[in-house]
Amino acid sequence: QVQLTESGGGSVQTGGSLTLSCVPSGDTNSNYCMAWFRQAPGKKREGIAAIDSDGRASYADGMKGRFIISKDNAVNALSLQMNSLKPEDTAMYYCAAAIGARFCVLSNSFYNYWGQGTQVTVSS
């Protein structure tokens, strides 16, 4: 079992920045992929970025540039740096993990563990 705990959400104005963190606990001693998703009210959950055990990052179309995913291997902590935020970035942001995966896919069904989410609100 793996538990994922997100933090770092909050309210910012347009153009501001936030960094989200996700700390896993439990059985993480194997290959895994970790990712960030978000879900805005009334919309489907969408992938933002993923990173595998070897540190290879991948981004959804349109996400690379303003969003930067990274991982601290010493503590297995995952981060998402978000810059130049826009009101349309307002959403619940989720951390996800696919334990045992040697590569990453930005699809909801690929991940078997999810965090509770952290809210990001961007005001104009």
Side-chain angles (χ1 to χ4, degrees):
Q1 288 290 327
V2 174
Q3 295 79 43
L4 303 174
T5 304
E6 302 106 331
S7 62
S11 297
V12 295
Q13 293 188 328
T14 296
S17 298
L18 280 175
T19 298
L20 306 183
S21 296
C22 173
V23 178
S25 59
D27 182 13
T28 59
N29 294 320
S30 60
N31 292 322
Y32 60 91
C33 172
M34 295 188 74
W36 289 100
F37 286 75
R38 69 182 183 183
Q39 187 168 20
K43 294 188 176 181
K44 294 182 179 179
R45 188 159 53 189
E46 63 175 346
I48 300 171
I51 190 166
D52 66 18
S53 298
D54 294 325
R56 289 183 293 254
S58 56
Y59 293 84
D61 291 342
M63 297 295 183
K64 193 171 185 178
R66 294 193 301 122
F67 295 88
I68 302 171
I69 191 171
S70 61
K71 183 165 60 74
D72 183 338
N73 287 323
V75 295
N76 282 335
L78 182 71
S79 295
L80 183 69
Q81 181 180 339
M82 306 186 294
N83 303 312
S84 302
L85 286 165
K86 307 172 183 179
E88 50 264 43
D89 294 318
T90 295
M92 186 71 79
Y93 284 70
Y94 296 92
C95 172
I99 304 301
R102 298 185 64 88
F103 59 90
C104 294
V105 175
L106 269 176
S107 170
N108 287 282
S109 60
F110 186 75
Y111 297 86
N112 43 9
Y113 295 100
W114 293 85
Q116 293 298 308
T118 185
Q119 178 69 37
V120 172
T121 303
V122 185
S123 58
S124 57

